[in-house]
Amino acid sequence: MHALPARSFWFPVLLILIGAGMLLHRLHLMWFGWPAVLWMFVTVGGGVKLYNGLVLKSRGGVFWGLFWFVLGGACLLRSCDVLWLDPGIMVSGLFLVSGAGLLLAFLVSPRDWYLLVPAACFLIVGGAILSTELGVWATWEVAPGLKI
């Protein structure tokens, strides 16, 4: 009789990640607290959902898995004081991740060709917001081009 099913590999991986975070905190290399553990759960859960979506060819699993994996990873790095992301960049990142998730869902299931339209829209809007946040485009240069 097995204590755990053979498919559940995420729990040992999660314990190893928590242990590595606690060790880095003890060595004063990284701040580690319970918000980081929460975001680690979200990141690992999203990664497992993404992996299962790619293996089982489910477009919903791929989209939400990628979304939660990237969002959890960014918030994990932010809560551990490794990376600080401006809220404007986070908004554009959500658009870009949504577009990439829809594009990946199309690549998993090509018969759902209608996912390309929202994927392109999300990627274009996310790229435009990111380029204005980074100063590539000035807002006053883009606004006259958008008027009809």
Side-chain angles (χ1 to χ4, degrees):
M1 183 185 303
H2 296 285
L4 290 173
R7 286 182 29 154
S8 65
F9 65 92
W10 61 270
F11 188 68
V13 170
L14 187 66
L15 288 178
I16 290 170
L17 289 174
I18 290 174
M22 293 172 90
L23 177 66
L24 290 173
H25 177 72
R26 182 83 173 156
L27 294 172
H28 300 290
L29 295 175
M30 181 178 76
W31 180 84
F32 186 77
W34 288 112
V37 172
L38 170 73
W39 288 116
M40 194 178 304
F41 273 115
V42 171
T43 304
V44 171
V48 169
K49 189 160 183 68
L50 177 63
Y51 175 76
N52 287 338
L54 289 173
V55 169
L56 300 175
K57 304 269 189 218
S58 104
R59 59 186 164 99
V62 170
F63 175 79
W64 288 111
L66 181 70
F67 184 82
W68 290 115
F69 180 72
V70 173
L71 180 71
C75 290
L76 174 67
L77 291 175
R78 188 174 181 184
S79 70
C80 291
D81 292 333
V82 175
L83 178 67
W84 188 81
L85 295 172
D86 189 59
I89 292 178
M90 286 287 283
V91 168
S92 66
L94 289 176
F95 276 106
L96 290 172
V97 168
S98 298
L102 288 171
L103 187 61
L104 192 59
F106 165 72
L107 292 176
V108 166
S109 176
R111 62 185 166 87
D112 297 333
W113 57 270
Y114 52 84
L115 294 174
L116 288 175
V117 175
C121 291
F122 278 127
L123 288 172
I124 290 170
V125 169
I129 293 172
L130 183 65
S131 61
T132 55
E133 283 293 322
L134 295 177
V136 176
W137 288 342
T139 313
W140 52 271
E141 290 177 353
V142 176
L146 296 176
K147 291 182 181 175
I148 296 176

